[in-house]
Amino acid sequence: MAGLLAARVLSEFYDGVTIVERDRLPDSSIHRKGIPQGRHLHSFLSRGCQLLDQFFPGILDELVESGAHVVDDGNLSRVYTRLGAYEMNRTEKLADPAALVIHLASRPLVELHVRRRVAALHNVKIVDHHDVTAPTVITRDRITGVLLVRRDTGERRTLEADLVVDAMGRAARTPAFLESLGYGRPAAERSAANWTYSSQLLQMPEGAIAEKMLLIESGNGLPRVGLMAYEHDMWMLTVGRRAADGDPPTHLAGMLALAEQCTPPSVLAALRSAQPLHNVAIYRNSGGMWRRYDRMQDFPAGLLVIGDALCCLNPIYGQGMTMAALEALALQEHLRDGRDDPQCFFRAAASHIGPAWAMNQARDRVPSGAQRHSLRTRLSTWAMSKALKTAEHDIVLTERFMRVAHLVDPPTALQDPALLARVVAGSLGRRALRASTRRSLCTTVRLAQRRAARAVAR
Ligand SMILES: Cc1cc2nc3c(=O)[nH]c(=O)nc-3n(C[C@H](O)[C@H](O)[C@H](O)COP(=O)(O)OP(=O)(O)OC[C@H]3O[C@@H](n4cnc5c(N)ncnc54)[C@H](O)[C@@H]3O)c2cc1C
């Protein structure tokens, strides 16, 4: 996905762009070997959907025509989110519903549409069934292309290029390549890999479940559950289990036995009557890794790294493809500014990755009852649980949480003092909360009036 989005951007600035892919690429929405994660819960966040439509105008409508679900009701009635013991508000209207629209479809379908749009660009060529084995160099300082090996015949050739973008996902070879040239490897930041995931594709008739998406992060060592509607009455169910609690279930019955600890009974009943499609897919490597190319002193010209090859985020937060789109946006700005220094791109990408990485670290740290924690951790956990409790009845807080989770707003949007006032008011009672809503609305209106008056005066 990062490679396709990068190619879309590069096509604006270069005469020719070649995408090299190891798999033989299908012309239908089927799973392929190179994307094992596609067999797990997968979707773009709202911010990612917006960027997808920006890069490929009309693509979201095309996806809907192919069966994708669009969740744009203006409230969150079809999105069930539970964090800890608290459910996000699903009854009141969102102030800015357009920012939180999501399109749900399987990874193979989304990828097929993106690939078709990229392949239709006049200056883009896709060479599939070829392995990239290594970049080529003229001197240590400048990359000049890549070495390719055709997978069926073993035929080798060199592809020359002004710029090589490594988008090979988690298996990227750039660190080893840089080391062989004497640059050393980039430092890597890691986040804990302590969850396993079992995923099952299901068939359920339209209307079996009122919601289109459920995300349950119960905390306290309970399983995590994700469920998402896909095209043609298909659903993806993913159940996460802490690695320390045992092996991930390999059958639907085992997944449901775990899910019943935290899933609403009506949803469980529908899942029990669903038809399983394919086998259960297992994922064990749940950790994140951020290769800090932005911190390397020295880096060769003509090479960039993007997507999971640069940073893979903990998959549970569903940010990877949206982050790839944000990095493609950074690449677009980098090339528009006519910069040749790779570090400028890596720094721009880091400005998108950093806030999400820090937020995930904080979410990963949510303490379980069994461990002892510092006063600071206990205080922030207490404050967060108060905020989540208030969000159950407070759409303003819920909307803010959702905007941050969907990468529409940065995590700092949660540090707004007005939100603290709402949490306090919410803890005092719903009447106080309503009064606080009226007050913050009045303040907003007054501020807007003052700004308008100033503009007129100017
Ligand atoms: C379990 C799981 C669930 C996830 N859920 C979500 C989600 O809900 N939402 C979300 O946004 N993200 C999710 N992600 C992350 C998301 O899949 C990635 O972030 C996203 O695909 C971007 O990755 P990429 O394009 O960098 O790499 P990939 O998508 O992995 O693509 C890498 C490509 O490079 C090819 N390749 C590899 N080596 C070579 C080589 N030597 N030569 C030629 N080609 C090669 C591969 O075949 C593949 O096509 C999830 C990840 C996992 C593991």
Side-chain angles (χ1 to χ4, degrees), residues 1-2 21-22 32 37 41-43 107 132 308 320-321:
M1 189 58 75
E21 167 55 47
R22 168 192 279 174
R32 61 185 179 88
Q37 71 269 35
L41 204 70
H42 238 88
S43 83
R107 162 80 192 231
V132 172
D308 283 11
M321 295 191 295

Side-chain angles (χ1 to χ4, degrees), residues 84-100:
Y86 310 111
E87 290 171 17
M88 293 283 119
N89 185 291
R90 304 204 293 142
T91 50
E92 292 166 59
K93 286 221 165 304
L94 297 165
D96 180 14
L100 288 177

Side-chain angles (χ1 to χ4, degrees), residues 1-5 19-23 25 32-45 107 111 115 127 129-134 147-149 151 166-173 197 199 228 230 238 282-287 306-325 327:
M1 189 58 75
L4 290 169
L5 298 171
I19 300 173
V20 184
E21 167 55 47
R22 168 192 279 174
D23 282 350
L25 292 170
R32 61 185 179 88
K33 198 168 167 234
I35 306 291
Q37 71 269 35
R39 295 179 181 275
H40 297 265
L41 204 70
H42 238 88
S43 83
F44 271 97
L45 300 171
R107 162 80 192 231
E111 194 183 299
R115 194 163 62 237
V127 176
H129 210 47
H130 279 70
D131 245 317
V132 172
T133 53
L147 282 175
L148 306 188
V149 178
R151 299 204 86 189
D166 174 359
M168 292 192 282
R170 290 179 172 229
R173 297 172 187 181
Y197 297 104
S199 295
M228 211 173 264
Y230 282 174
T238 292
I282 304 293
Y283 196 83
R284 293 174 193 272
N285 180 17
S286 69
I306 198 166
D308 283 11
L310 170 58
C311 175
C312 50
L313 296 159
N314 186 335
I316 193 65
Y317 305 121
Q319 302 155 329
M321 295 191 295
T322 298
M323 190 53 71
E327 290 162 14

Side-chain angles (χ1 to χ4, degrees), residues 386-405:
K386 286 279 172 216
L388 291 172
K389 188 167 193 256
T390 309
E392 283 199 306
H393 305 290
D394 184 353
I395 191 65
V396 175
L397 266 174
T398 287
E399 189 166 357
R400 198 67 72 91
F401 275 125
M402 297 301 271
R403 287 174 70 97
V404 171

Side-chain angles (χ1 to χ4, degrees), residues 37-290:
Q37 71 269 35
R39 295 179 181 275
H40 297 265
L41 204 70
H42 238 88
S43 83
F44 271 97
L45 300 171
S46 299
R47 179 75 178 118
C49 293
Q50 292 158 12
L51 289 172
L52 211 51
D53 214 43
Q54 189 175 316
F55 288 134
F56 309 102
I59 195 170
L60 298 177
D61 295 336
E62 287 169 22
L63 277 167
V64 173
E65 271 168 38
S66 297
H69 299 266
V70 50
V71 182
D72 61 353
D73 306 64
N75 56 26
L76 297 167
S77 59
R78 292 197 294 164
V79 180
Y80 178 96
T81 311
R82 196 166 78 226
L83 299 173
Y86 310 111
E87 290 171 17
M88 293 283 119
N89 185 291
R90 304 204 293 142
T91 50
E92 292 166 59
K93 286 221 165 304
L94 297 165
D96 180 14
L100 288 177
V101 172
I102 38 172
H103 288 71
L104 302 175
S106 67
R107 162 80 192 231
L109 185 71
V110 175
E111 194 183 299
L112 179 70
H113 277 266
V114 175
R115 194 163 62 237
R116 278 185 182 159
R117 292 291 289 264
V118 173
L121 296 168
H122 76 280
N123 55 348
V124 174
K125 192 166 107 187
I126 300 184
V127 176
D128 67 349
H129 210 47
H130 279 70
D131 245 317
V132 172
T133 53
T136 53
V137 288
I138 187 160
T139 64
R140 176 184 176 273
D141 303 334
R142 163 119 345 235
I143 306 307
T144 52
V146 284
L147 282 175
L148 306 188
V149 178
R150 197 177 144 145
R151 299 204 86 189
D152 47 1
T153 60
E155 180 200 335
R156 291 168 178 273
R157 68 182 166 105
T158 303
L159 186 67
E160 288 186 2
D162 295 323
L163 176 66
V164 171
V165 180
D166 174 359
M168 292 192 282
R170 290 179 172 229
R173 297 172 187 181
T174 296
F177 169 70
L178 290 175
E179 192 168 43
S180 72
L181 285 183
Y183 286 95
R185 287 174 176 258
E189 286 183 36
R190 291 168 203 275
S191 67
N194 45 15
W195 287 82
T196 61
Y197 297 104
S198 308
S199 295
Q200 172 77 73
L201 191 64
L202 298 164
Q203 189 97 47
M204 272 191 285
E206 173 90 43
I209 294 177
E211 292 82 6
K212 293 288 178 200
M213 186 166 145
L214 281 92
L215 294 172
I216 302 170
E217 249 185 74
S218 311
N220 282 328
L222 287 171
R224 290 168 163 174
V225 176
L227 179 68
M228 211 173 264
Y230 282 174
E231 64 277 6
H232 311 313
D233 293 337
M234 290 190 297
W235 291 74
M236 182 62 86
L237 170 69
T238 292
V239 176
R241 182 181 209 189
R242 283 197 315 186
D245 293 340
D247 284 333
T250 52
H251 291 97
L252 179 58
M255 290 170 64
L256 293 180
L258 283 179
E260 74 186 9
Q261 298 175 39
C262 55
T263 308
S266 61
V267 175
L268 267 178
L271 289 175
R272 288 207 173 94
S273 59
Q275 186 67 31
L277 307 166
H278 304 302
N279 294 330
V280 170
I282 304 293
Y283 196 83
R284 293 174 193 272
N285 180 17
S286 69
M289 192 201 319
W290 182 6

